[in-house]
Amino acid sequence: MKTKFFIASAVALVTIACQKEQPTQFEVASPEGVNKISFSLENGAPSYSVTHGEKTVLNPSKLGFVFKNADSLNTNFEIAGIKERTFDDTWEQVWGEKKEIRNNYNELVVELQEKDEAKRKLNIEFRAFDDGVAFRYVFPEQGIKDSIFIMDELTTFNLKDDGKAWWIPAYGEQRYEYLFNNDPVSTLDTVHTPLTIESKSGLSLSFHEANLVDFASTTLAHTEGTTLKTDLVPWADGVKVRTTESFKTPWRTIQIGEKPTDLITSYLILNLNEPNKIEDTSWIKPFKYLGIWWAMHIGKYTFWEGEKQGATTKHAKEYIDFAEKVDIDHLLIEGWNKGWTPDWYKNAMHQFSFTKEADNFDLEEVTDYAKRHNVRIIGYHETGSNIDNYLKQIDSAFALYNKVGIHDVKIGHVGSLLKMKEWHHGQFGVNYFRYVLKKAAEYHLTVLFHEPIKDTGERRTYPNMMAREGARGQEYNAWSDGNPPNYTTILPFTRFLSGPMDFTAGILDVEVKQGYPGRRVHSTAAKQLALLVTVFSPIQMLADLPENYEGQPAFEFLHDVPTNWEDTKVLNGEVGEYITTVRKDIASDDWYLGSMTNEKARDFEISLSFLEEGATYEAKIYADAEGTDETHNPSSVAISTKEVKASDSLNLHLGASGGVAIRFKKID
């Protein structure tokens, strides 16, 4: 990564202990002054508030902790020191939705110390960005040798205004895999983050966390009025966080936009993570892939051995032949290993082997065949949340992948609890997922987590963390009532604010003619194309069956669309209604557009001012055919071309649950 410029002021330390009257209020504003955080110490109790311009976002909100035996660390403080800093840097992503990211903030560090005999110290670091604010606690080393048990974090978010919250429940059996609800903040229970709120003040807000390391992940519990409180996910015995000597919390983040689309192009979460720790990143590359996957979900094949077994040497070679034919150079094979049964997911202690092959499958024969045909196999490990079984085999499993030339691995964790007792998103799960990610880096493997801990920006630190699930994906359309038309117009404003998702788009047979009766994808085929632009991931699965791509002109867009970008702009959008996104290819002068809507048909006039001024482009347009919508001829895609310039506009028509995808190819 290359630093483009760096400006950092000298840290200013203000010592105030010797002053007769200590100031008790301090403020830090973002570089352009748009966002401000105010800290206050009243009667020894710390609090903070947040404003955006003339609008109050948060009224005074509480800070602090409760340790074991009702030992509170939230009152009887005095201010021991204040530090201030300005930081301005531009860094390059190894891959991403935007190549260069500016990290520009002003920082205020408040050093607190208890007045009583213990005189424990607690520092609170506040950062004000122009796209939001963040803060974290630092409990420094101070001679405490006993274990520290955090029983509660007292952080609150006392919203000035109510608003519409887009939420999924915390502590549910399906982890993050729920449809989104929208309700007033004042009526919420306990919810996952990112939590997106369309405030009555007119602002758009997203509450989340960044750089989650060796700590419990946060959920948000409604307490009273419009106040939300941090609710750390506990261990099985009720302790929230176990640590020794000292600790740092993740950053508590609030992204703030004038409109919902501003949240999507905020990079605050990434900026709060540590820089890349992998020196040689040449082995980390974005890609598109096919998979022996959709056929299993719709019932054409099975995951387990038998007459309809999907992962066989024969099927693998057929998929490899097709991948070579259509120039897609990665293939995911699920179910290749021993342990798959029809009821595998019902037993939390089910044991898979990660080195022994299923009947009818020869791993070396398949990987050798793939190499000869310029296709790379993606490995798959389904743990079934039996983590002990997986960790016993992880080195031998990763070594096997190295031996046969597999460089990418999908790792699943089906089950509501890890080890039958711990939440995926408690401190145990947080540490487990980070351990596996670092272990994979040792073996030069990129990672795709399913049933994961939520993303908090660690892809900046470990860019082999390519994508994850963490929401209801495409498979729900195969064997359930499916995801409704508005679902994919909610995701960019909610789940995707945390990071890339493996959504598995690109289904052209949206009526799923070979699948379970009555099951289908609730969109048009053109909307499936648009998803490759509107939902970001550096690895994108073209999920449909090979026979549904064979001879389909619309497949050209799926082949052409990149997965790594130089820039991203969101042209329009409303949560749950519609969105139009454009992205510039990092490897060419081409731009790509994706536009999609919910159950309502829409017409947009789109300015092309994002294109290079003075240049001419060929726009290849993939749109809903005339009369097409979710229930009328949904697989029909109309393809047309025209020459355009930055001074032009395009009129787009989207059928109900429809979409438009466009490639803008610069004409030399």
Side-chain angles (χ1 to χ4, degrees), residues 7 209 255 392 407 460:
I7 306 169
E209 57 185 320
Q255 290 159 281
K392 288 175 183 176
H407 304 283
R460 180 183 180 188

Side-chain angles (χ1 to χ4, degrees), residues 38 90 186 192 202 237 244 250 289 378 432 449 464 489 648:
S38 298
T90 294
S186 55
H192 275 305
D237 63 0
T244 57
Y289 66 104
I378 303 170
Y432 159 76
F449 280 135
N464 65 316
T489 63
D648 296 332

